[in-house]
Amino acid sequence: MSLLPALATNLPAAVLSGMAALAYAVLAWAHPRMSVPQSRGLLALAWLLHLVVLLLSLFEQPARFGFAPALSVTAWLVLTVYLVESRLYPQLRARWTLAVLGTVVVLLALVFPGTPYPALRSALMPLHWALGIASYGLIAAAVAHAWLMQRAEKSMRLGTSTGNAMPLLTLERLTFRFVAAGFALLSATLLAGWYFSETLNHRWVWDHKTTFSVLSWLTMGVLLWGRWRLGWRGRVAVRTLYLGAGFLLLGYVGSRFVLEVLLQRAQIPT
């Protein structure tokens, strides 16, 4: 899909997408020279513009969704978590990374706005999608915290950790809280998917999305069990989390990317 049709479908959203991407990009570029209140304020502005873009897309006719909008919503949820946590934990430092992420996903959603679909097969389908996206967001937040935890652990080993750095145990505790919440929502997503599959197709449909989602659910379940029964932490826990998150990313985003970009095959989202 080219950029011009995407601009033509929803010009206000396209303009706001450009503004949000610019705000994220300016933050990524000027972050080292900005004070904490300035960078926090610019990130909040970019986050707000990003939110308006997402809200406008909800009212677009015909409605669209795909791999890039899913990534955009997921990144926005991660940014929301960060904005809240940075108030509770001022030591949390990830604005540059999140600004780069925000720039990429907003522009990606602008170029690949997703597949249009005229009607829903069930009025409750948005609930299934909302649960899925929320689980994406929470598990992505867990991955972000795991990355911060690895960075903090490396700083401690190298002796470069500062006194005001985020405590390692706090990062670990937050990581597993997000894993548990994401696992719960992913369980609800799979149950809802099973219900809709049985109702609409009269059978459980095993496709790439379902297979990778179930693999992610099993991996996250093993991770939580290992944490509870075996005390998993450090590299073992982080690598298992990355594996489960990778399966989840392949589940919807990966399969839709192949259909929309590589195969260029329009298909009603499910």
Side-chain angles (χ1 to χ4, degrees):
M1 178 177 295
S2 65
L3 182 58
L4 289 179
L7 291 172
T9 56
N10 195 336
L11 185 57
V15 173
L16 286 169
S17 294
M19 294 172 61
L22 179 61
Y24 282 130
V26 169
L27 176 60
W29 173 70
H31 171 259
R33 297 175 293 279
M34 299 174 70
S35 66
V36 172
Q38 287 175 334
S39 60
R40 184 179 293 164
L42 186 54
L43 181 61
L45 174 62
W47 173 89
L48 182 61
L49 290 170
H50 195 167
L51 172 61
V52 175
V53 171
L54 296 177
L55 292 176
L56 285 176
S57 66
L58 291 176
F59 300 101
E60 185 178 357
Q61 293 298 329
R64 290 175 174 269
F65 203 67
F67 82 94
L71 286 175
S72 183
V73 177
T74 301
W76 181 83
L77 289 172
V78 173
L79 284 159
T80 303
V81 169
Y82 175 79
L83 285 172
V84 173
E85 281 192 341
S86 62
R87 293 287 183 178
L88 301 174
Y89 305 101
Q91 312 99 308
L92 206 58
R93 294 287 185 268
R95 279 186 284 275
W96 182 87
T97 304
L98 293 177
V100 172
L101 174 65
T103 304
V104 172
V105 297
V106 169
L107 292 178
L108 200 61
L110 180 61
V111 177
F112 301 103
T115 303
Y117 54 99
L120 300 177
R121 298 178 65 189
S122 170
L124 294 177
M125 282 299 291
L127 174 62
H128 175 49
W129 297 338
L131 288 171
I133 292 298
S135 66
Y136 261 67
L138 289 171
I139 291 175
V143 169
H145 283 77
W147 173 74
L148 290 171
M149 184 171 65
Q150 283 189 304
R151 192 173 67 172
E153 188 177 14
K154 182 179 179 180
S155 296
M156 290 179 63
R157 288 200 309 268
L158 296 176
T160 59
S161 179
T162 60
N164 60 350
M166 189 81 168
L168 187 60
L169 291 178
T170 300
L171 283 170
E172 184 181 57
R173 185 167 60 251
L174 289 171
T175 298
F176 278 96
R177 285 179 180 176
F178 281 113
V179 170
F183 177 76
L185 282 181
L186 183 57
S187 301
T189 303
L190 289 173
L191 285 174
W194 169 80
Y195 169 78
F196 287 121
S197 183
E198 289 288 342
T199 302
L200 301 176
N201 304 310
H202 306 293
R203 62 187 178 89
W204 177 256
V205 178
W206 280 97
D207 53 14
H208 291 87
K209 175 171 65 70
T210 302
T211 301
F212 282 117
S213 297
V214 170
L215 285 174
S216 176
W217 180 81
L218 290 172
T219 305
M220 294 300 175
V222 169
L223 173 59
L224 290 172
W225 180 85
R227 169 73 171 179
W228 174 53
R229 299 295 297 176
L230 304 176
W232 283 3
R233 60 194 314 170
R235 292 184 179 180
V236 173
V238 169
R239 288 174 180 174
T240 306
L241 171 58
Y242 288 167
L243 178 62
F247 282 141
L248 189 61
L249 187 67
L250 290 172
Y252 182 82
V253 173
S255 61
R256 295 301 307 178
F257 175 80
V258 171
L259 287 171
E260 295 175 25
V261 179
L262 300 183
L263 300 180
Q264 296 186 350
R265 183 188 306 165
Q267 181 178 341
I268 300 300
T270 56

